Amino acid sequence: MAGLVKAWLEGNSRQLVWLAFEDYARTVFGNNHAAWYTEPMRHVAGLVDANKVLGSQVVGFDFGAVFAAHAGLAADSEGAQRISALLDDASVSTFCAKAIAAMTHQVDATCDVVLQLPSPSRLLLILGEDPSNINFDMLDDAASALAELLRDYAGAPVAGLVLAFIDNGIDPGDEAEACEVLQGVAAHYDWFFSLRMETTDLAEGLADLTARLHLFPTIEAEKPDDAGTRIGGGLNRHFWVDGVLPASSGCCLYGDVPIDLAPKLIAERAASLRRNDAD
């Protein structure tokens, strides 16, 4: 693997450009094809082609997007059994395994491949669970099921694990405790561990879940805080629309690539990131 994120975390590179572009690749390069989440080669080809334009140094496999596309498999189950019903489906597991294998084969030499999982509560909600039913035991069972999934990729040339959280009213303290097993899996496989969050308030609620990197798609990029956690951000709507780059140097430029702007404009903004890194 390229080792770009770890090199940046250790202070051995000046800047890291990390774009989240699953939705953009599916929409612009995959034409929202119905088979985007059933044909792994189509899926990976779209991601790779998109990144030829975008130039992200990190390419993510978004389990959450795949799970959402197959959420109907969990309709007859309850609680964490919803996740088991999904993961036990051969078509889903085969799609994920083949897509990740193809992705690492095609981009491993030039980019870091990371696995992104939705947080346990987020996944339960995606699969139709009533939020009032979600408690610590359910979160714990859900996290354990996701940990078993990750063990299938122990030998894959994966650089890191991202857990994606949203503020959904579920106790973040309970969720942080439940997710310790996922943190442990990442450490065991020598993957860097990071959290993606929509707000800094959510980061405070998840403070007990230690990660090397916090990713915020809507805020500015910052340098390390006193605890050593580094921050990725800055590529928010303001950047994509107006082209204003964050002032911070040595930062992780991170954000979602929007699907509602012209592809030509997206290409221009992405090119500006490469020029900035070369300066």
Side-chain angles (χ1 to χ4, degrees), residues 167-185:
D167 190 354
N168 53 23
I170 305 302
D171 186 339
D174 281 354
E175 188 141 50
E177 184 177 351
C179 287
E180 288 176 359
V181 65
L182 299 170
Q183 180 187 38
V185 170

Side-chain angles (χ1 to χ4, degrees), residues 21 29 45-56 59 106 270 274:
F21 58 93
F29 289 83
L47 289 171
V48 171
D49 286 347
N51 204 39
K52 290 176 181 177
V53 175
L54 298 172
S56 177
V59 179
Q106 293 194 43
R274 294 191 290 274

Side-chain angles (χ1 to χ4, degrees), residues 108-129:
D108 183 55
T110 56
C111 302
D112 278 354
V113 174
V114 303
L115 305 180
Q116 178 169 306
L117 282 173
S119 73
S121 68
R122 186 175 186 181
L123 180 53
L124 288 165
L125 294 174
I126 287 171
L127 299 182
E129 187 60 45

